Amino acid sequence: MTKTAPDFSFETAAAARGARLICGVDEVGRGPLCGPVTAAAVILDPARIPAGLGDSKALSAARRLSLAAEIHATAEVAIAHASVEEIDEINILQASHLAMQRAIAALPRAPDHALIDGNRLPKGLTCTAEAVVKGDARVLSIAAASIVAKVARDALMEALSQQYPGYGWERNAGYPTKDHLAALVSLGVTPAHRRSFRPVHNILCQAPSPKA
């Protein structure tokens, strides 16, 4: 089965319904054991859409960096986060939605309509919105948002890896890889870890070894 590239049809349909400024929204970082969850909102200029936009997960790191630079240069972009503390307090889904709300609110111009990756919409949006399942592979502005969010969060995790070496965050971005899980056991839990996530929670709740 041939994979189809994302296109501009969702944006075109929203414009036909009267929307003037249409943003794509995506988040990255729901699965990692540490670090914030990051969202981006992007309003593409239909006359200056970078070539090769696609699902960020399907692109090489070098291609993501190149495309992110192009997106920042040609589109209206906002990036926002929800912190580890917020993730632990309100859960990862609600924190993802919070980061999305913040990204939309941070755009230079308020959008009329938001195309949001996933099957649920954040509450309290100030514009109309629609959820698009697998939107990063179907909708150009969501693909653009997925790329800039991924690049921003990867850079943040690389910086955190300097602060907390040994966990491999510069390689695994905080996901529960074998080396990250091994480091969690040997080095312990850092302030950057999400305490509500099971592997971290289990280590914190382990009973101390009985004294000899």
Side-chain angles (χ1 to χ4, degrees), residues 25 47 49 55 60 70 73 83 89 111 123 139 172 175 178 192 195 199 211:
V25 186
I49 297 174
D55 178 1
S60 69
E70 283 191 69
S83 69
E89 185 178 343
K123 293 174 183 171
V139 181
N172 60 44
Y175 284 88
K178 191 176 177 181
R195 281 150 171 71
K211 290 181 181 177

Side-chain angles (χ1 to χ4, degrees), residues 90-114:
I90 62 177
N91 80 42
I92 187 60
L93 174 64
Q94 297 307 319
S96 299
H97 284 180
L98 180 60
M100 288 179 171
Q101 290 168 335
R102 287 171 174 166
I104 294 169
L107 281 165
R109 293 185 292 169
D112 305 304
H113 188 68

Side-chain angles (χ1 to χ4, degrees), residues 45-116:
D45 177 348
R48 302 173 72 200
I49 297 174
L53 293 182
D55 178 1
S56 65
K57 298 182 288 296
L59 300 169
S60 69
R63 186 70 182 127
R64 281 196 300 267
L65 279 170
S66 173
L67 281 169
E70 283 191 69
I71 294 162
H72 279 284
T74 59
E76 295 178 48
V77 179
I79 297 166
H81 312 277
S83 69
V84 168
E85 293 76 19
E86 288 169 325
I87 292 167
D88 285 340
E89 185 178 343
I90 62 177
N91 80 42
I92 187 60
L93 174 64
Q94 297 307 319
S96 299
H97 284 180
L98 180 60
M100 288 179 171
Q101 290 168 335
R102 287 171 174 166
I104 294 169
L107 281 165
R109 293 185 292 169
D112 305 304
H113 188 68
L115 299 165
I116 297 178

Side-chain angles (χ1 to χ4, degrees), residues 33-34 166-167 169 174 176-190 193-194 197-204 206:
L33 303 179
C34 58
Y167 296 86
W169 295 343
T177 58
K178 191 176 177 181
D179 61 334
H180 187 184
L181 292 170
L184 199 52
V185 172
S186 61
L187 301 175
V189 175
T190 72
H193 278 102
R194 302 172 180 178
F197 277 44
R198 189 177 298 278
V200 181
H201 178 77
N202 287 350
I203 286 173
L204 289 170
Q206 278 174 355

